[in-house]
Amino acid sequence: MITFSSRFLAAGTLLFSNFMWPLVADEVEQARAEYPGGFSRPPSQGKDYNTWKNAKGPDVGETKIDLKRLPSKVDNSTRKQFPPIYKQRWGTCGQFAAIGSIFTYEMNVLNGTAADSDATRFPAHFSWNMMNRAENVGSEAYHGWEVAKRIGIPTAKSYGGVRLKKIGVWPNGYQIWREAMEYRVSGYRYSPANTVDQLNEARGWLFDRNQEKVEKVEKEAIGGIFALDGRMGELKKVTKTIPEGEYAAGDDVWVRWGPSGYGHGITCVGYDDQVGYDVNGDGKITNDIDLNNDGKVTLADWERGAYIVVNSWGENWSKDGKIFLLYSAMIDPTWKRGNYLGRAEVTRYLPHRTLRLKLDCSDRTDIRMTIGIASDKDASAPEYEFAPEAFNGWPLFRGGNAGHVPIAGPKDKTPIEVGIDLTPLFEKLGAAKDGEARIFLSLTRADESEAVGVLHECAVRSYDPKGNFIRESELAIKDGNFGESLLEIDKVVKGLKRK
């Protein structure tokens, strides 16, 4: 049996990490990506949907982990790129983890900025209000990451804050939607954390994203962070305070997920190999005793080593808004959601063509919008077309998740101005003949719906490669009513020659 004294643990060097891992070398399950259940990607996209397809970084398990370079402790919440610890409002935990914390952190790492103001922070409520049925319901982390992939996320400054005071509100203002287009998720993944190999991959991601080679530059390698889905019922039974004489004495640690309750989105910002707790009460903290009596010693039996978790219950919760979570706590056969770590890669993007619309509608989930384009300016039908997710009831998320409410939000019949990225649609044309093309817009309602609306304004906007505004081409609207009848408008768009 191997135990560790407080004096030895206080040293906290790389030696500790290297010494600890060989204890359970019989575990062979390697690090890999997985899609467990319906919380790791949209079920509507089928089993072949690759959420990492457009990411540039290495996939889970593709990089060899060099344990010698991993420190015994990493806490990315102390970095300038990490936002303040928030106190969520309503069932927004999933989006405070996925967008408010992880997306904000990753975007600031990418941009080389600090998350010290609303100009560099991103709102949890923008993505939440896209899929919460305009009600106080929960969400998965992937909901936010899919919104960020498909339409982007605006800054908290333009949105009006990280959180709003009303549920189900959609932003009114083209510039908010246009800004959102710039900040995207390129890919996201979930991976299990049930074995030592999988744990080491996660530690490497938290430290420096498992970079095989660090170039000789002054820029520091900055690790990533994870989304977690914990079970929060009866937390008092699993929340322990580390006793005096032990490393990190006085801090709280979760030794298991809660024995009951529903899921709760939280953020894993680091790890500490030295944190431990005597789970079985034998007076020792060990990693080599079969605590669960399954006949073998695995990561599930470890009492030493913990993730560092940020919650969204305010900075006064658990002293500073953070808590330790034993590595072994995640291996819970009664809560399989809690066995996985979610990561995201972000990217910057500049649209070249957009559609500016001002419209109202009595039921935003029942809007059916199609946008098409043809290279022949005299065409009577589009060659290519697409149906924007947000303006077709978010079929990606199923179940009317936009909410059967007016487009502006519950009990608000105000028209709102929105923006839609047309760049991928125009790119399908290649070089347009004479630098002109015809754009088509149709608006109607879902079958058996009684939704009605009015299109007040419609224009195509063009931008240069640096994102600077060039021109706007308005589409004439004779009668903007839609719902009881189909609204169709089209116009020749000029200035499409490539320079």
Side-chain angles (χ1 to χ4, degrees):
M1 180 184 300
I2 300 175
T3 59
F4 304 96
S5 69
S6 300
R7 186 179 63 179
F8 175 80
L9 292 170
T13 63
L14 286 172
L15 175 63
F16 179 90
S17 292
N18 296 337
F19 180 60
M20 187 167 65
W21 306 125
L23 294 179
V24 285
D26 56 319
E27 287 190 298
V28 294
E29 274 196 59
Q30 296 182 341
R32 64 183 183 276
E34 278 190 11
Y35 294 110
F39 68 91
S40 57
R41 62 179 171 180
S44 66
Q45 299 303 286
K47 64 180 181 179
D48 296 326
Y49 178 45
N50 182 359
T51 59
W52 197 255
K53 180 179 178 181
N54 296 321
K56 294 182 179 179
D59 205 348
V60 181
E62 290 183 352
T63 305
K64 184 178 179 180
I65 311 303
D66 181 6
L67 297 182
K68 294 180 180 180
R69 63 184 179 80
L70 297 184
S72 63
K73 179 180 179 179
V74 170
D75 185 357
N76 291 316
S77 70
T78 63
R79 296 185 181 276
K80 67 178 184 179
Q81 294 88 355
F82 194 81
I85 293 176
Y86 296 116
K87 187 172 184 179
Q88 71 182 74
R89 180 179 284 138
W90 304 306
T92 52
C93 57
Q95 300 315 304
F96 268 100
I99 302 300
S101 295
I102 297 175
F103 186 84
T104 293
Y105 173 82
E106 295 291 356
M107 194 58 73
N108 279 282
V109 170
L110 178 66
N111 293 337
T113 51
D116 56 4
S117 73
D118 278 357
T120 52
R121 298 171 188 164
F122 294 87
H125 282 202
F126 178 78
S127 51
W128 186 59
N129 282 329
M130 288 289 158
M131 55 64 55
N132 62 9
R133 302 195 299 272
E135 300 171 357
N136 183 14
V137 298
S139 64
E140 309 290 0
Y142 83 73
H143 286 119
W145 293 337
E146 286 290 347
V147 170
K149 281 180 68 175
R150 294 164 191 270
I151 62 177
I153 305 290
T155 64
K157 181 179 180 180
S158 67
Y159 185 66
V162 173
R163 61 183 188 180
L164 301 181
K165 296 180 179 179
K166 294 182 179 180
I167 297 175
V169 176
W170 278 17
N172 180 13
Y174 168 81
Q175 289 301 331
I176 301 173
W177 295 76
R178 164 62 184 82
E179 183 190 56
M181 298 174 198
E182 294 193 22
Y183 302 102
R184 304 289 187 105
V185 160
S186 52
Y188 63 93
R189 273 290 195 225
Y190 274 85
S191 57
N194 297 321
T195 68
V196 174
D197 188 82
Q198 293 167 356
L199 168 62
N200 286 336
E201 195 279 336
R203 291 169 67 241
W205 175 263
L206 290 162
F207 175 51
D208 67 357
R209 304 170 195 266
N210 292 310
Q211 296 180 10
E212 288 184 306
K213 297 180 181 179
V214 179
E215 297 180 3
K216 294 182 178 180
V217 294
E218 295 181 0
K219 187 176 181 180
E220 177 191 11
I222 299 177
I225 55 181
F226 292 112
L228 286 173
D229 191 355
R231 188 168 57 188
M232 298 291 110
E234 300 177 271
L235 278 182
K236 289 184 178 180
K237 293 182 178 180
V238 296
T239 304
K240 307 297 181 181
T241 300
I242 299 173
E244 291 297 324
E246 292 292 343
Y247 177 85
D251 287 344
D252 291 336
V253 58
W254 283 334
V255 297
R256 292 286 184 269
W257 289 128
S260 65
Y262 296 98
H264 174 64
I266 50 182
T267 306
C268 175
V269 296
Y271 65 87
D272 194 329
D273 294 333
Q274 302 176 63
V275 169
Y277 190 82
D278 180 14
V279 178
N280 67 343
D282 65 354
K284 304 178 180 68
I285 298 175
T286 64
N287 282 1
D288 63 344
I289 293 179
D290 179 14
L291 298 186
N292 60 10
N293 298 314
D294 63 354
K296 55 187 176 181
V297 177
T298 66
L299 183 60
D301 300 300
W302 284 24
E303 294 177 311
R304 178 80 67 190
Y307 297 104
I308 302 172
V309 173
V310 168
N311 206 341
S312 53
W313 291 345
E315 59 183 8
N316 293 326
W317 175 84
S318 187
K319 292 198 304 186
D320 59 357
K322 297 188 286 187
I323 195 169
F324 292 114
L325 171 71
L326 290 184
Y327 294 147
S328 55
M330 287 188 62
I331 309 170
D332 186 345
T334 71
W335 184 247
K336 293 186 178 180
R337 280 172 168 256
N339 299 2
Y340 294 88
L341 298 163
R343 71 192 72 185
E345 180 185 285
V346 302
T347 188
R348 291 294 299 272
Y349 169 85
L350 290 174
H352 297 156
R353 300 282 188 282
T354 66
L355 190 65
R356 181 182 65 80
L357 300 171
K358 184 176 182 180
L359 72 165
D360 65 70
C361 183
S362 61
D363 189 330
R364 66 190 181 199
T365 284
D366 286 351
I367 295 174
R368 293 297 178 264
M369 179 189 297
T370 303
I371 305 169
I373 195 167
S375 56
D376 184 351
K377 65 181 181 180
D378 298 318
S380 58
E383 296 175 49
Y384 306 98
E385 60 184 5
F386 84 111
E389 286 276 348
F391 303 98
N392 282 274
W394 278 107
L396 179 74
F397 301 146
R398 294 179 174 172
N401 279 349
H404 291 286
V405 298
I407 192 169
K411 300 180 181 180
D412 187 351
K413 298 181 181 180
T414 305
I416 66 171
E417 189 181 53
V418 304
I420 300 171
D421 182 20
L422 299 182
T423 307
L425 183 65
F426 274 78
E427 286 178 344
K428 291 181 179 181
L429 286 181
K433 182 180 179 182
D434 300 323
E436 298 178 343
R438 183 170 289 276
I439 187 169
F440 299 81
L441 172 68
S442 68
L443 276 166
T444 185
R445 64 188 180 193
D447 293 342
E448 301 182 4
S449 171
E450 296 182 358
V452 292
V454 179
L455 178 63
H456 300 273
E457 297 177 16
C458 180
V460 175
R461 288 197 160 200
S462 299
Y463 297 85
D464 70 16
K466 293 184 179 180
N468 298 311
F469 175 70
I470 300 175
R471 70 177 65 85
E472 179 178 274
S473 302
E474 289 193 26
L475 279 67
I477 305 169
K478 294 182 179 179
D479 179 2
N481 289 282
F482 65 91
E484 294 182 353
S485 58
L486 173 67
L487 170 62
E488 292 182 303
I489 58 176
D490 59 88
K491 179 185 174 77
V492 173
V493 180
K494 300 180 180 181
L496 302 181
K497 282 188 177 181
R498 295 183 178 180
K499 298 181 180 180

